Amino acid sequence: MKTKVFLLCLAVATFVATARAADPTAAPTENVFEAKPLGISMSIKMIGPYTQDADLQIICLFKHKRTGDTYQGAAKATDEHLGGIVSALRNRGEFIGELGETFLFTPPKGSIPAKRFMIIGLGDEKDLSLDSLRVVGRIAAREAVRLEAKHVAWAPVIRDEGNTTIEVGLGDRTFVEEMLSAYDTEKRLQAQGLAPDFSIESLVIEAGPAYFDSAVKQVGEGIASISPELATRDSSPYGQISK
């Protein structure tokens, strides 16, 4: 079963465009997975968090360093497009970046396409692990449901903070597996009348050119791995009220 799902995820990938370098106006390269776990259209897209249209754009940042935070690539460009909001929040001590800490705001008009922007803290850089990304995945799912964000985009920007501890594709896979696991719980709560009905329709994982292929491979494997596991979860009611 896992092998079939894996092949399905990897074999049928839709590339919107592959000539972006030759034509700057071309649509970004995107790999859309055939499988739609829990009804979510999932893709890896060669785009930055400052150009993706989404109901909710999510990035991750390490705990603020008094000696100065590292901003490179997409992390730097995103902060610049937002007029320095991210760096101001950190430098003023108003977003610390503890593991699991969140900060949500509405991007200024004309800054980036996303309707809402969320930062999730990764904690101290020295403590970064796959478990950190599992926390982020759970938060992303629950916050997207709480905010009723149908179209979600996520960029870890860990490399853009100068950290190479976790291989990018593996980090993306870990995030996706945990995000789907948490979202599955949300859907089960809804089915039992314990939460309002709501469905996430799409998740875009943003990746730079150097990490795109690895992200496609690893996330495809992650979808293939987690899907059958979720199908075998206990489906009995979470609780029963005696009458």
Side-chain angles (χ1 to χ4, degrees):
M1 175 64 180
K2 289 186 178 181
T3 301
K4 290 182 179 179
V5 177
F6 172 58
L7 292 174
L8 191 62
C9 291
L10 294 182
V12 190
T14 304
F15 284 88
V16 176
T18 56
R20 191 182 180 193
D23 181 6
T25 63
T29 300
E30 183 173 16
N31 184 104
V32 181
F33 296 99
E34 175 73 7
K36 292 186 177 181
L38 303 175
I40 302 176
S41 174
M42 304 188 71
S43 68
I44 310 296
K45 194 172 184 179
M46 202 180 293
I47 196 170
Y50 50 90
T51 50
Q52 175 62 35
D53 189 9
D55 294 327
L56 178 64
Q57 171 68 56
I58 303 171
I59 67 168
C60 305
L61 293 175
F62 290 115
K63 186 175 180 179
H64 173 63
K65 303 181 184 70
R66 292 186 178 181
T67 55
D69 300 308
T70 301
Y71 294 94
Q72 303 169 354
K76 181 180 179 181
T78 299
D79 189 43
E80 290 174 347
H81 277 77
L82 289 168
I85 292 175
V86 175
S87 54
L89 287 168
R90 299 175 88 187
N91 293 334
R92 296 178 188 184
E94 295 172 40
F95 176 76
I96 306 301
E98 299 284 3
L99 179 60
E101 179 183 358
T102 61
F103 200 101
L104 176 72
F105 63 89
T106 301
K109 186 177 181 179
S111 59
I112 65 174
K115 295 179 179 65
R116 283 174 290 190
F117 194 92
M118 175 172 284
I119 310 169
I120 301 178
L122 286 169
D124 285 313
E125 184 173 356
K126 64 180 177 59
D127 297 326
L128 178 67
S129 68
L130 291 178
D131 282 338
S132 308
L133 291 174
R134 291 185 179 100
V135 171
V136 171
R138 293 194 294 270
I139 292 172
R142 292 165 184 161
E143 287 295 280
V145 171
R146 182 179 70 85
L147 296 168
E148 297 187 344
K150 292 183 178 181
H151 304 288
V152 182
W154 178 68
V157 301
I158 292 173
R159 282 291 191 275
D160 295 321
E161 295 176 78
N163 187 286
T164 59
T165 301
I166 297 174
E167 195 274 321
V168 174
L170 178 58
D172 290 342
R173 170 180 176 164
T174 302
F175 168 87
V176 165
E177 289 176 340
E178 204 68 20
M179 185 267 186
L180 288 173
S181 180
Y183 181 62
D184 180 70
T185 300
E186 293 292 330
K187 297 305 290 182
R188 290 171 186 268
L189 288 169
Q190 293 175 23
Q192 295 179 30
L194 300 173
D197 287 339
F198 176 76
S199 297
I200 299 173
E201 295 182 5
S202 68
L203 172 65
V204 173
I205 298 172
E206 297 150 345
Y211 313 111
F212 184 86
D213 290 342
S214 175
V216 170
K217 178 179 182 295
Q218 295 267 17
V219 171
E221 291 174 350
I223 294 172
S225 175
I226 196 66
S227 295
E229 289 183 22
L230 297 179
T232 61
R233 274 183 162 183
D234 185 350
S235 60
S236 62
Y238 288 111
Q240 296 191 9
I241 306 298
S242 299
K243 294 184 179 180

